[in-house]
Amino acid sequence: MLSYLETPVQQVYTDSLTKAGVRLLIKREDLNHPLVSGNKWWKLKYNLEEARRLGYHKLLTFGGAYSNHIYAVAAAARECGFESIGIIRGEKTLPLNSTLSFATSRGMRLHYVSREAYRKKTGLEFVEDLKKTEGEFYLIPEGGTNELAIKGCAEFAMKLQGISFDYLCLPVGTGGTAAGLITGLHGKGRVIGFSVLKDGHFLKDETRKMIYNYCGKEFLNWKIETEYHFGGYAKQTPPLLDFIRSFQNDHGIPLDPVYSAKMMFALLDQINQMKFENGATILALHTGGLQVKI
């Protein structure tokens, strides 16, 4: 349903990589769609197909005021002919920021709820109340992670099996993308996720549960690092912003500050610490999130 552009694999060269004897490749999945980029494309693919199959005309989802997920769902809904509703955490603030301005430009209706009410968003009563005001809709959870999202990411992992690598690295927010990739790789290579959340230790159990619930198996070829969150989700520090600028200047690859920059900073730091064996090939997944400003 969504258009898809095949994406390149780009090799990065640095003195530290040469010293460590490590090869670093970046899968430029940020280029798979101009607006629904990176892992968002794969997480939405089967949700959009299911919404169409079930006859829904309206998508409803949740997010904060700067949410990549809200941005992506608004764009995907417009391209695929759905109406869309975004349940936004917090009070309405004018003028709208660039994320919410983009969402409304794609036809998404925004419904603001208090932070207290937002915490109840997964409850049956909350959803039923929304149906009274919004009518019938296909619900996509916050961040897009559900079984159909894992299915999409597992399919993407199968595409990656044509690339020779020892490690697959990615940023982790909910664990859904990691769960799908781990499942789809069927034990090939080693997967390292880098949590973008403060106190992200719980993601290990969450990811393990998602894998088992999806395929009934357990895999041992993965781990999640939790020490590179830069203060927490969407937190930005001067060193991180400096790193983003220097990385783009040196390699021509833009990174988003919420996900891919933290992953890439962490990965290069671990390479500098010689945590990868000589001769290893690392494939880093650029998960998109570079919102186009309007």
Side-chain angles (χ1 to χ4, degrees), residues 9-10 16 49 64 82-83 86 107 114 129 143 145 154 198 202-203 207 209 217 237-238 268 272 279:
V9 175
Q10 184 172 339
S16 61
E49 289 186 6
F82 292 101
E83 297 177 43
S114 70
D129 285 344
T145 292
K198 189 176 182 179
F202 73 95
L203 288 168
T207 302
K209 289 176 186 175
K217 296 181 181 179
T237 65
L268 291 175
N272 284 332

Side-chain angles (χ1 to χ4, degrees), residues 4 13 23 39 49 55 107 113 123 130 147 152 170 193 198 200 208 219 222 251 273 275 288-289:
Y4 181 83
Y13 300 90
R23 185 167 175 248
N39 61 332
E49 289 186 6
V113 299
L130 285 173
E147 186 170 310
L170 73 154
K198 189 176 182 179
R208 186 176 294 107
F219 297 96
W222 64 278
H251 308 293
Q273 296 180 47
K275 291 192 175 182

Side-chain angles (χ1 to χ4, degrees), residues 56-158:
Y56 287 98
H57 302 287
K58 190 182 302 181
L59 308 177
L60 182 142
T61 196
F62 309 87
Y66 293 90
S67 168
N68 285 337
H69 174 68
I70 288 289
Y71 183 101
V73 170
R78 169 60 66 87
E79 181 172 324
C80 296
F82 292 101
E83 297 177 43
S84 62
I85 303 165
I87 307 301
I88 308 302
R89 180 180 63 247
E91 296 180 357
K92 183 176 182 179
T93 301
L94 295 175
L96 296 178
N97 66 35
S98 58
T99 302
L100 299 183
S101 292
F102 174 85
T104 57
S105 78
R106 291 305 185 271
M108 178 176 274
R109 290 194 290 109
L110 305 180
H111 181 119
Y112 297 86
V113 299
S114 70
R115 293 178 182 275
E116 180 181 358
Y118 191 84
R119 285 192 285 270
K120 303 174 183 177
K121 63 184 179 298
T122 58
L124 180 61
E125 183 178 352
F126 186 91
V127 174
E128 289 302 317
D129 285 344
L130 285 173
K131 287 181 179 180
K132 292 175 184 177
T133 58
E134 304 293 351
E136 290 296 319
F137 52 77
Y138 181 84
L139 190 149
I140 301 174
E142 183 179 35
T145 292
N146 58 12
E147 186 170 310
L148 291 173
I150 294 172
K151 178 182 178 180
C153 293
E155 180 181 303
F156 175 56
M158 289 185 274

